[in-house]
Amino acid sequence: MGQGGGTRRVRSSDGDLGAAVARAQQGDEAAFAVAYRIVQPGLLGYLRGLVGAEAEDVASDAWLEIARDLGRFRGDGAGFRGWTATIARHRALDHLRRLKVRPRASVVEQDLLDLPAAHTTEDQALESLGTDRALELLAGLPRDQAEAVLLRVVVGLDGPAAARVLGKRPGAVRTAAHRGLKRLARHLGADGVTDGAPRTLGESE
């Protein structure tokens, strides 16, 4: 995957995704494949941030559950994106628990701070990165900021949908994403990325 999953591009495909999901729920296997192709790149990018090299295996487990429970899903394309991200996150956390790796607890900071959700220069900077570069930078962020950025920019969820995936308030997720993107912009401006093995979010500072 070459780009970081631009939010505008993701949202423009939600109409096609919703139509494909509706057909897949009627038993159309080709439509399910279309939905998979639309969602998988962002989902895999999100999982790489959570579990690193195990992302493909965790994604496979998540898609088995998605296929099994597809008939229970109710919603549009954007809703399907959020639903699949929630399932993938649960599978990732199960995987980390099995490895006895504890993701660092998120810090809910300034829940009531309501930052604007408009597209910013930080979003645009992240979207210009290749996925590997973006994940390398994200690994250095606090976990709550990194996961918020992944859901907002890589998966393409809006603030309320990302908040539902994380079980947090939209204001807290918006704040975390905003701060994470500002830190990334500073890193990009300073070219301050260190070399080394990729880290998962649970291993960030």
Side-chain angles (χ1 to χ4, degrees), residues 12-82:
S12 71
S13 69
D14 281 343
D16 292 339
L17 177 57
V21 170
R23 293 197 307 274
Q25 288 180 312
Q26 300 303 314
D28 186 334
E29 293 182 8
F32 185 82
V34 169
Y36 172 88
R37 285 195 297 272
I38 293 173
V39 172
Q40 172 71 351
L43 204 64
L44 195 57
Y46 176 48
L47 288 171
R48 282 188 184 127
L50 294 178
V51 300
E54 306 300 319
E56 293 272 5
D57 290 342
V58 174
S60 294
D61 289 343
W63 279 104
L64 287 173
E65 183 173 342
I66 291 162
R68 184 194 70 201
D69 294 343
L70 184 63
R72 295 208 291 248
F73 170 73
R74 297 291 179 270
D76 57 8
F80 185 74
R81 234 180 256 284

